[in-house]
Amino acid sequence: MPKTFPTPKLVIFDCDGVLVDSEPASNQAMADNLTRHGLPLTAEQSMQHFVGGTMAGVMQKARGLGANLPDNWIDEIYAETFARLRQGVPLTPGVSELLARLDAQGIPVCVASNGSVDKMRITLGQNGLWERFHPNAMFSAHSLGVSKPEPGLFLAAASHFGVQARDCLVIEDSGSGVTAAVRAGMRCLAFVPQGGGRKLAALGAEVFSDMAEVPALLSI
């Protein structure tokens, strides 16, 4: 029989690639930038290399791959990425319905991201979710000084809501996010809309491909 879990007391969403379909735009901006700096990449290759990382980590890895990056590169890539995101980022299909279902069940939700609050203001603000999460249900690595794959971001969210880690559920899409959830002692669902997900499953996540699957996984 499949393993059953109690209904969570807090659902923690990653932002990029989970709440909003921002990864294509962000990674196109990244690929264009790094190509200009001597590391030719497609958006797909950028996603394979960098999704889930911090920008400082991306900078270090890109230099290791041969990019010739200036010292102010992080400011540069944020400006270019934000400009691309302002052109329009859709909500992930099914997210609005899932949030409504969680509301109906009285289950609190929050967002925890390695991205900056400024980035979430752009992506969530376009889709009516900024007011929902900011400031009391929004946890940014930039603000807290701890990033995935370390568990501190998720543990800070649980502490804020007064919920034990074992009673939280995390929805992620990256290896660093899954690792952070596992380290925090939280159940993790990994969203893989394009299929696959073996790497995330191997890290300890339960893989799913459609937000409509989540209520059944949460027993709601």
Side-chain angles (χ1 to χ4, degrees), residues 1-215:
M1 291 182 60
K3 186 176 181 181
T4 58
F5 295 88
T7 300
K9 297 179 181 177
L10 174 67
V11 175
I12 305 173
F13 288 88
D14 179 44
C15 185
D16 297 298
V18 174
L19 286 174
V20 288
D21 188 17
S22 53
E23 297 291 12
S26 294
N27 281 280
Q28 189 61 60
M30 179 71 70
D32 292 348
N33 177 281
L34 292 178
T35 297
R36 200 170 68 241
H37 286 299
L39 178 61
L41 289 177
T42 64
E44 291 75 17
Q45 289 169 327
S46 174
M47 290 187 72
Q48 291 167 9
H49 283 299
F50 305 124
V51 162
T54 63
M55 206 56 82
V58 170
M59 184 176 184
Q60 182 179 9
K61 187 171 183 180
R63 280 177 164 168
L65 292 168
N68 182 21
L69 302 182
D71 290 340
N72 70 339
W73 179 79
I74 290 178
D75 291 337
E76 175 185 296
I77 190 61
Y78 273 132
E80 293 176 17
T81 301
F82 290 179
R84 186 71 62 105
L85 293 173
R86 286 190 184 97
Q87 295 175 16
V89 175
L91 272 181
T92 298
V95 158
S96 295
E97 293 81 358
L98 175 55
L99 290 172
R101 187 77 168 266
L102 292 166
D103 286 346
Q105 295 289 324
I107 299 171
V109 300
C110 67
V111 56
S113 174
N114 272 357
S116 67
V117 171
D118 288 341
K119 184 179 182 182
M120 288 189 275
R121 184 183 288 114
I122 294 169
T123 58
L124 299 178
Q126 295 176 19
N127 294 290
L129 292 184
W130 172 255
E131 295 79 7
R132 179 189 183 111
F133 289 109
H134 184 267
N136 295 318
M138 179 174 287
F139 303 89
S140 164
H142 288 232
S143 304
L144 293 177
V146 60
S147 59
K148 310 166 194 175
E150 297 305 316
L153 204 57
F154 292 146
L155 293 173
S159 177
H160 176 84
F161 282 89
V163 175
Q164 296 292 319
R166 64 177 178 270
D167 294 321
C168 298
L169 178 126
V170 174
I171 302 181
E172 267 289 348
D173 72 328
S174 71
S176 62
V178 171
T179 299
V182 171
R183 289 177 175 175
M186 298 178 180
R187 183 186 177 200
C188 185
L189 304 183
F191 180 51
V192 287
Q194 307 304 322
R198 286 188 300 274
K199 289 182 179 179
L200 300 184
L203 291 172
E206 300 159 59
V207 173
F208 73 102
S209 60
D210 188 322
M211 288 295 170
E213 298 173 55
V214 174

